[in-house]
Amino acid sequence: MSTCRRKEDPKNCSGTMLVPPWLERLLNTSFFNICRTHGDAARSECNMYCLDCNADAFCFYCRSSKHKDHQVIQIRRSSYHDVVRVSEIQKVLDISGVQTYVINSARVLFLNERPQPKGGKAVSHVCEICGRSLLDTFRFCSLGCKVVGIKGNGDASFIEAASSSRRGGGNYMMSSSSSRDQEEELRDGSQQDIYPPTPPPPPSSSRSRRKGIPQRAPFRS
């Protein structure tokens, strides 16, 4: 029995691309290098990507001069890994199935897989591709892992959200509990380690006893 496509061919049966041609180039782009043209300026880090040009990253000043009317997304950094805001990427991709995080009150997702030490306590949800622990019932930890999943299984795509998101729908999965969102610090450029919040101390099992008033020995006559 023949199939309409091979697994490694990122197209569906109608010939539509399941992975946009610019996405893999984006995932392999190096960000936060200093712009060669505007290296002396304050905002010279290359953290912008143009979906129309589909070329290298560029800085804030390059966007104003060369990509003014183009579709541009900004890459940010958290825990030394590149992220993009959901509000930007959902306009051009169906990101359903990808774990999202809340960082500085903004919902973001990671571009690529993040290495995670093996071992530790068991978790309920893991990424189908790299095995990273997830917060909720998502399938992938990043856009890169979803690309691998599409090419390997073909049971997901990035093409559904283009029209619905422009209408304000936003076709992506949300975490079922905000208390489980990973709160981190989101940086536009500078790299910084993020540490998990310190849990509150457990409640005391018994009330602390109040010390009595000390009594002095009577004076001898």
Side-chain angles (χ1 to χ4, degrees):
M1 182 176 179
S2 62
T3 57
C4 61
R5 60 169 181 78
R6 300 190 306 268
K7 282 188 175 182
E8 64 271 15
D9 183 13
K11 294 182 181 180
N12 60 13
C13 296
S14 63
T16 304
M17 291 293 296
L18 298 178
V19 179
W22 54 265
L23 180 56
E24 290 187 89
R25 177 68 183 269
L26 166 67
L27 298 178
N28 290 304
T29 297
S30 177
F31 293 97
F32 300 101
N33 297 317
I34 300 301
C35 179
R36 296 180 180 179
T37 305
H38 308 99
D40 296 332
R43 303 175 66 179
S44 60
E45 288 182 319
C46 295
N47 62 347
M48 305 278 183
Y49 192 84
C50 180
L51 306 188
D52 296 320
C53 299
N54 196 21
D56 295 331
F58 51 89
C59 75
F60 169 81
Y61 304 101
C62 291
R63 177 180 184 176
S64 301
S65 59
K66 300 178 181 179
H67 307 273
K68 185 176 181 181
D69 298 322
H70 294 180
Q71 192 166 26
V72 174
I73 59 175
Q74 181 176 352
I75 306 303
R76 294 171 169 84
R77 182 153 287 184
S78 176
S79 299
Y80 295 87
H81 295 282
D82 296 334
V83 302
V84 62
R85 284 185 175 176
V86 168
S87 59
E88 293 185 41
I89 197 68
Q90 70 171 350
K91 296 177 182 179
V92 291
L93 288 179
D94 174 12
I95 59 173
S96 60
V98 182
Q99 174 73 65
T100 61
Y101 299 86
V102 173
I103 303 177
N104 282 11
S105 301
R107 188 166 291 274
V108 303
L109 52 80
F110 287 85
L111 295 189
N112 291 294
E113 159 189 344
R114 292 170 291 155
Q116 184 177 35
K118 295 182 179 180
K121 59 183 180 181
V123 294
S124 301
H125 312 295
V126 296
C127 176
E128 294 180 7
I129 305 303
C130 69
R132 183 177 181 85
S133 60
L134 303 177
L135 302 179
D136 283 285
T137 54
F138 293 91
R139 297 181 57 191
F140 311 105
C141 70
S142 63
L143 290 177
C145 283
K146 184 172 180 177
V147 169
V148 176
I150 290 174
K151 288 187 173 183
N153 302 320
D155 58 349
S157 74
F158 287 108
I159 63 175
E160 298 176 2
S163 59
S164 62
S165 61
R166 289 191 182 97
R167 295 194 299 267
N171 187 10
Y172 64 95
M173 296 175 63
M174 297 287 288
S175 297
S176 58
S177 173
S178 60
S179 63
R180 287 183 288 177
D181 287 333
Q182 180 175 330
E183 291 288 350
E184 295 178 342
E185 184 176 0
L186 183 63
R187 295 280 178 159
D188 290 347
S190 60
Q191 302 181 9
Q192 181 171 337
D193 283 325
I194 306 300
Y195 298 93
T198 303
S204 177
S205 57
S206 61
R207 295 182 180 179
S208 59
R209 297 179 179 179
R210 185 176 181 181
K211 294 182 179 180
I213 300 175
Q215 296 182 356
R216 295 181 179 180
F219 291 101
R220 293 182 179 180
S221 55

